[in-house]
Amino acid sequence: MKMLLKSFYFLALSLVIVGCGESDGFEIKGINTDGEEVVIVKLLGEDTEEIDTLDLDEDGSFVFAGTSDGPAVLLFSFDNGYRVPVVLKTGKEKITFTIDDPKGYGIYKTSGSPEAERLQLLQDYLAESFTVLDSLDQVLQDAQELDEEERLAIRASADQQFMEIIKTYHDKLIAFIDADSTSLTNLFVFNQRIGNMGILDIKEDLAYFDKVERSLVATFPEEPNVLAFSRNLKSYKQQILAEQEINAASSRIVPGADAPDITLQNPDGKEMKLSELKGKVVLVDFWASWCQPCRAENPNLVRLYDTYNAKGFEIFSVSLDGVERQQDPRGEWLKAIEADNLKWNTHVSDLSGWNTPLLQLYGFTSIPFTILVDREGKIIQKNLRGEALEAKLKELF
């Protein structure tokens, strides 16, 4: 069972809606000739709040006006699937947008403010990329009539051109950030995609994520979307650091190395240490009651324990119960011990699930995970189970 890293995702203020012509605040005019209705929401970080729902006029047009006491990020969601973001910085913008997308790229035209013009740039980058991709697709379709060698050559050339498109798109987004790192439109840069491929990569382009986060927090310290972006970025950086620590630990968990000591409480609350089992051959078994592959392996562990325990074999079971979805992790842990007849007394857990520091100590990201330790406390091998574990125990005993 894999440890699930949180995916990095993000996408204000008080809005007062007024009738058209009744305010010197903002005014947003839109046209979507294929739509009938638009739902207007404001983005609030990880949350949204619906502001209004408007029926479009016969020509697909609408007007939405109001006042705002601060910056805002709005989203106009149409019944035909189009979604248009609008960024209000001063609250006095006069913005227009038109959805005219005959090729179905999901793009629109917008103008009327510096922020709208920046969003238009993002639309232009996307449209340019799709136009080139369409031509490549046509080349590949035409190549179906050619022989295999020619098709492969054309495919290789198309793949190279595709990566060049991605690089060009990437470089434009970097320039977009550099042009104004304080703009709220940067919140939409990091989820630019072509198909399933993100254009910016948080690991490769982390410096730009950091640059935007610093600039936006300094400029809009209370804006909900900015705060959410900052929280998510910090969380993801912590995950990257944890991954690095896990990878470093994994490189140290090798045959002949000392097995790092583990000190945790057993079900009765008594502290137990792995080092207390020196003098025996010990299988350190990382498992959990919710882990089906772990549970499937348990009958094999019971059989091997019965066979070799009298000869000096012990199992030190470390449970990763305590994941978020568990309502009673301790109870589920104890129930699994009893149900699977795990008769040895060396069961321990900190009941913190994937938040346990043992990941950084032993360098693993999935369970079941095992370490076989010799009588001197040195690692024999890792990830032995099933027939491979039985064969190694036969060799040792």
Side-chain angles (χ1 to χ4, degrees):
M1 303 291 283
K2 287 280 188 182
M3 174 181 66
L4 299 178
L5 292 180
K6 295 179 180 177
S7 59
F8 185 80
Y9 177 76
F10 59 86
L11 247 146
L13 67 155
S14 173
L15 288 175
V16 179
I17 304 169
V18 299
C20 180
E22 296 178 7
S23 170
D24 62 353
F26 66 83
E27 183 180 77
I28 301 165
K29 295 181 178 180
I31 298 178
N32 180 1
T33 56
D34 292 329
E36 296 181 359
E37 183 181 84
V38 59
V39 177
I40 306 164
V41 301
K42 59 180 177 181
L43 304 184
L44 301 169
E46 291 97 354
D47 200 4
T48 62
E49 180 180 338
E50 184 172 331
I51 300 171
D52 203 359
T53 299
L54 301 177
D55 292 327
L56 305 185
D57 291 340
E58 290 185 3
D59 62 354
S61 66
F62 73 92
V63 178
F64 177 70
T67 61
S68 169
D69 62 3
V73 182
L74 308 181
L75 187 67
F76 291 74
S77 297
F78 293 88
D79 56 338
N80 62 343
Y82 284 88
R83 292 154 60 90
V84 178
V86 170
V87 174
L88 301 176
K89 185 176 181 180
T90 66
K92 298 183 181 299
E93 290 89 345
K94 311 300 180 185
I95 296 172
T96 63
F97 66 79
T98 302
I99 296 173
D100 183 14
D101 187 25
K103 294 188 176 181
Y105 292 158
I107 61 176
Y108 55 87
K109 295 287 186 181
T110 185
S111 62
S113 74
E115 302 295 69
E117 308 232 347
R118 280 177 61 82
L119 287 174
Q120 183 59 53
L121 273 179
L122 294 181
Q123 291 295 293
D124 291 343
Y125 299 159
L126 186 62
E128 291 165 7
S129 299
F130 275 132
T131 298
V132 180
L133 286 172
D134 278 351
S135 65
L136 277 182
D137 186 60
Q138 186 60 54
V139 169
L140 290 174
Q141 289 184 40
D142 294 343
Q144 296 303 312
E145 305 300 323
L146 304 176
D147 61 43
E148 183 178 2
E149 183 176 350
E150 290 178 302
R151 286 201 310 274
L152 290 175
I154 290 173
R155 164 60 71 180
S157 175
D159 288 345
Q160 181 178 352
Q161 292 180 67
F162 175 77
M163 296 311 299
E164 290 172 357
I165 292 169
I166 297 297
K167 184 181 185 305
T168 299
Y169 199 165
H170 173 277
D171 292 346
K172 287 179 177 179
L173 293 182
I174 294 300
F176 183 91
I177 292 171
D178 284 336
D180 185 2
S181 63
T182 67
S183 171
L184 285 170
T185 57
N186 290 315
L187 293 173
F188 298 94
V189 170
F190 300 109
N191 55 10
Q192 296 292 300
R193 313 182 70 81
I194 291 181
N196 293 324
M197 178 175 288
I199 307 302
L200 295 185
D201 179 87
I202 190 168
K203 291 183 179 179
E204 297 295 328
D205 301 305
L206 183 58
Y208 288 93
F209 282 75
D210 282 336
K211 180 177 182 178
V212 168
E213 190 265 345
R214 288 194 303 269
S215 296
L216 288 182
V217 169
T219 308
F220 305 100
E222 298 181 0
E223 208 285 319
N225 299 285
V226 171
L227 296 178
F229 176 73
S230 180
R231 285 194 302 271
N232 289 331
L233 180 59
K234 289 176 181 176
S235 176
Y236 198 90
K237 288 168 71 174
Q238 290 172 352
Q239 292 177 57
I240 292 175
L241 179 61
E243 282 184 352
Q244 293 172 342
E245 292 174 347
I246 289 170
N247 290 336
S250 181
S251 67
R252 298 191 296 268
I253 302 299
V254 294
D258 290 329
D261 202 7
I262 298 172
T263 303
L264 290 174
Q265 290 184 350
N266 69 6
D268 297 325
K270 178 184 177 182
E271 197 172 81
M272 304 192 77
K273 293 185 177 183
L274 173 62
S275 58
E276 293 172 345
L277 297 178
K278 275 191 176 181
K280 297 184 178 182
V281 174
V282 181
L283 181 73
V284 184
D285 178 36
F286 296 93
W287 74 296
S289 67
W290 47 261
C291 170
Q292 292 306 312
C294 304
R295 302 292 296 275
E297 176 68 9
N298 280 344
N300 184 54
L301 295 185
V302 171
R303 182 175 58 82
L304 294 175
Y305 180 83
D306 288 339
T307 302
Y308 295 105
N309 176 247
K311 299 179 181 180
F313 175 61
E314 192 57 77
I315 299 177
F316 191 79
S317 291
V318 184
S319 167
L320 268 68
D321 282 287
V323 294
E324 290 183 5
R325 65 176 179 270
Q326 288 184 284
Q327 296 182 351
D328 180 17
R330 185 176 186 278
E332 292 175 37
W333 173 39
L334 299 182
K335 184 177 179 180
I337 292 173
E338 181 179 0
D340 293 358
N341 192 30
L342 307 184
K343 57 187 72 175
W344 47 94
N345 296 319
T346 43
H347 290 277
V348 297
S349 181
D350 57 12
L351 295 176
S352 58
W354 290 114
N355 293 318
T356 177
L358 295 175
L359 273 65
Q360 285 78 24
L361 186 65
Y362 271 86
F364 65 95
T365 58
S366 64
I367 54 176
F369 178 76
T370 63
I371 299 288
L372 190 62
V373 180
D374 69 13
R375 299 178 190 273
E376 302 300 319
K378 295 189 178 296
I379 295 170
I380 298 173
Q381 202 166 336
K382 63 182 178 182
N383 256 340
L384 287 174
R385 52 183 177 269
E387 294 180 358
L389 174 60
E390 183 170 11
K392 177 57 70 172
L393 292 179
K394 283 182 179 179
E395 178 186 320
L396 293 172
F397 292 104

